[in-house]
Amino acid sequence: MAELVFFSGTMDCGKSTLALQMDHNHRARGRSGIIYTKLDRAGTDVLSSRLGLSTPAHEVGDELDFWDAVVEHATSGLRIDYLICDEVQFYTPAQVEQLARLVDEMGIDVFAFGITADFRTQLFPGSRRMIELADKVQVLQVEALCWCGRRATHNARVVDGAMVVEGEQVVVGDTKAGTETLVEYEVLCRRHFMRRMNSAAARAAASSPDVLPFDLDLCPVPPC
């Protein structure tokens, strides 16, 4: 029986790597599928992993209707057994509903991968709808780590070295060359996320480059 499965986790926990592995495993067993992604770090029309692996993919725009796209593939004679959908946090709620319909009415497995919450700890609309509709929600077991060594649970946005908690929900990171502002993302444990203590702030507060400041007095809770 086909299923809608949502694999979630923070950045750096291996979501895209698992997506690539699942596609490989299914194809090795003679199944035929389509890979979708949106706003991948490596550019458009590609699904990439931080380990350096990548594969061509269909870019998802807000106007894409998954039901119409898959029906078009099927009516042209292509067999579709499954979909790999990466970066689903950026999909619209309507697109998530279309994926659920494909599972229920066409018997196509949908394996979705994405981050649940943004840099403000608020759920992405696509992830929220995925949690509401998925047959299974699986949190990846590969733990991303905060700079302090604890399990990372939150995604932080860092602008020019400083953590921020305000701004547009979707801003693509790793914008280095040709821009005045450097936007990056970093995973943090809850304690250091709540205290706005990213790795750059930790290094700045350290008495020595080799010793990070684990004393909470160096990173007090910001005023509300």
Side-chain angles (χ1 to χ4, degrees):
M1 181 178 295
E3 289 185 313
L4 174 60
V5 185
F6 180 34
F7 297 90
S8 68
T10 63
M11 298 181 303
D12 297 336
C13 71
K15 296 182 301 299
S16 296
T17 301
L18 178 59
L20 290 164
Q21 183 66 54
M22 289 190 70
D23 178 63
H24 170 78
N25 290 350
H26 283 268
R27 290 186 186 278
R29 295 298 177 264
R31 304 190 81 205
S32 179
I34 303 176
I35 300 176
Y36 289 98
T37 191
K38 184 175 185 178
L39 299 178
D40 188 277
R41 70 185 68 83
T44 58
D45 300 312
V46 62
L47 189 163
S48 69
S49 163
R50 294 181 189 277
L51 297 181
L53 304 173
S54 65
T55 191
H58 295 269
E59 188 73 15
V60 176
D62 289 345
E63 74 288 349
L64 175 68
D65 187 305
F66 280 103
W67 177 267
D68 290 345
V70 171
V71 168
E72 182 179 351
H73 280 287
T75 54
S76 65
L78 298 177
R79 191 180 88 249
I80 301 173
D81 301 310
Y82 66 93
L83 302 182
I84 299 288
C85 296
D86 200 24
E87 307 290 359
V88 296
Q89 70 270 12
F90 299 135
Y91 295 10
T92 67
Q95 288 172 329
V96 175
E97 293 172 8
Q98 293 157 14
L99 293 172
R101 184 185 176 195
L102 288 169
V103 174
D104 295 338
E105 300 187 26
M106 294 188 66
I108 296 174
D109 285 311
V110 175
F111 305 111
F113 303 80
I115 296 168
T116 53
D118 63 17
F119 71 105
R120 303 165 299 183
T121 70
Q122 297 177 7
L123 290 175
F124 284 97
S127 297
R128 180 188 299 113
R129 197 65 181 133
M130 186 64 70
I131 292 170
E132 293 167 346
L133 295 180
D135 296 297
K136 296 178 182 177
V137 177
Q138 298 188 6
V139 178
L140 270 65
Q141 298 303 306
V142 177
E143 293 186 351
L145 299 178
C146 177
W147 60 264
C148 68
R150 292 184 176 88
R151 176 174 176 266
T153 54
H154 292 67
N155 303 296
R157 179 181 293 172
V158 180
V159 178
D160 291 335
M163 179 180 160
V164 298
V165 292
E166 295 181 351
E168 297 181 10
Q169 186 174 53
V170 179
V171 175
V172 178
D174 301 329
T175 55
K176 298 179 180 179
T179 61
E180 296 180 358
T181 301
L182 175 60
V183 179
E184 302 172 293
Y185 289 89
E186 181 178 353
V187 289
L188 300 173
C189 65
R190 184 178 62 231
R191 182 175 72 163
H192 287 118
F193 181 91
M194 296 296 289
R195 294 171 183 270
R196 313 291 188 260
M197 195 71 167
N198 63 307
S199 59
R203 287 192 296 269
S207 58
S208 164
D210 299 322
V211 180
L212 290 177
F214 293 98
D215 187 345
L216 287 181
D217 290 339
L218 293 175
C219 48
V221 178
C224 298

